[in-house]
Amino acid sequence: MDEIERERSIQLQPIKRIAQLRLEPSEENNGRVIPDDVVDLVKEYEYRNGRLNIRQQKAFGLIDFTSESTNEETRFIIVTNSLSDLLRNINYEDYVGIDNSVFIYVVENNEIKEEIQLEKTLRIL
């Protein structure tokens, strides 16, 4: 009974607002796709190409998915619907050291149309 009485007597302080933010969407397309929208497509594509252990990452991080080949090589995947927008906005310094393991998948009409190694995109620019 003492415990119940103690809990009943606890008084909570009202929550004070310390900040209020208003987010407005940018009109500029950054070329990224939300991983939840293409997770099944990427998994199917990776399985067809002999890669397993596919993991989805949080939206808009450095990468969207990871997968492993049978010889345990890790592949880092970025999914885009606009290669030109992605290449214009990507910060290559973030991928130094892993750029040969990062692949960009270009999605069109709910299909992966193109697969490009990030390292090779440096030659395009």
Side-chain angles (χ1 to χ4, degrees), residues 46-107:
E46 291 297 284
Y47 288 138
R48 270 196 327 251
N49 289 289
R51 291 181 286 273
L52 306 170
N53 203 11
I54 300 138
R55 286 178 297 242
Q56 179 180 345
Q57 304 299 313
K58 292 184 179 180
F60 303 116
L62 286 179
I63 58 170
D64 299 318
F65 297 92
T66 61
S67 68
E68 294 178 4
S69 62
T70 53
N71 58 358
E72 296 185 13
E73 289 180 3
T74 301
R75 177 177 275 225
F76 303 106
I77 303 165
I78 300 171
V79 182
T80 183
N81 58 3
S82 173
L83 184 60
S84 61
D85 288 338
L86 178 70
L87 295 179
R88 187 175 59 249
N89 291 307
I90 198 165
N91 185 359
Y92 287 95
E93 292 173 4
D94 292 341
Y95 300 94
V96 170
I98 62 166
D99 54 349
N100 60 342
S101 298
V102 177
F103 290 82
I104 300 169
Y105 290 2
V106 181
V107 175

